[in-house]
Amino acid sequence: PNPVCELCDKSAKQLAEELLHCRQCWNRFHPSCLELPAESIQKIAEINDWRCSDCKVCEVCRGPGNEDKLLFCDSCDRGTHTFCLTPPLSRPPQGG
């Protein structure tokens, strides 16, 4: 079968764009459908360890909870809780 993007229901060939797959649920997405910047797409491809928004966890504690405290890296799209950072942040930073 030809896998399709979970958001637009089109294949990689239809949009001429490789699909990213979530390492946990194996759902697939076009980077453009996720609105990821080119830098993130390249980094995600290098580390081959990406999770979709439904499967995101903190990379430090591995916990999925406290979504309001979960920050996402502008480069690799991985998540980390503000309180799991060293030093911890009392609130999310402004901007990237």
Side-chain angles (χ1 to χ4, degrees):
N2 196 9
V4 296
C5 174
E6 292 292 317
L7 297 175
C8 72
D9 257 354
K10 294 181 180 174
S11 71
K13 288 182 180 180
Q14 287 175 293
L15 282 189
E17 185 178 15
E18 290 293 321
L19 293 169
L20 295 175
H21 72 272
C22 174
R23 76 173 197 160
Q24 186 166 329
C25 69
W26 286 88
N27 284 336
R28 290 168 164 71
F29 303 87
H30 290 111
S32 60
C33 292
L34 296 170
E35 299 179 4
L36 290 173
E39 176 189 344
S40 293
I41 297 164
Q42 182 178 0
K43 188 70 168 179
I44 290 167
E46 287 172 13
I47 59 176
N48 196 25
D49 187 24
W50 177 78
R51 294 175 193 255
C52 69
S53 59
D54 290 339
C55 297
K56 289 260 195 263
V57 296
C58 174
E59 293 297 320
V60 176
C61 72
R62 298 288 185 211
N66 297 300
E67 288 88 11
D68 60 323
K69 304 283 187 198
L70 199 58
L71 301 176
F72 300 107
C73 176
D74 291 338
S75 178
C76 67
D77 199 42
R78 288 180 171 178
T80 308
H81 290 120
T82 54
F83 51 84
C84 289
L85 294 168
T86 306
L89 293 176
S90 58
R91 58 186 158 88
Q94 296 289 327

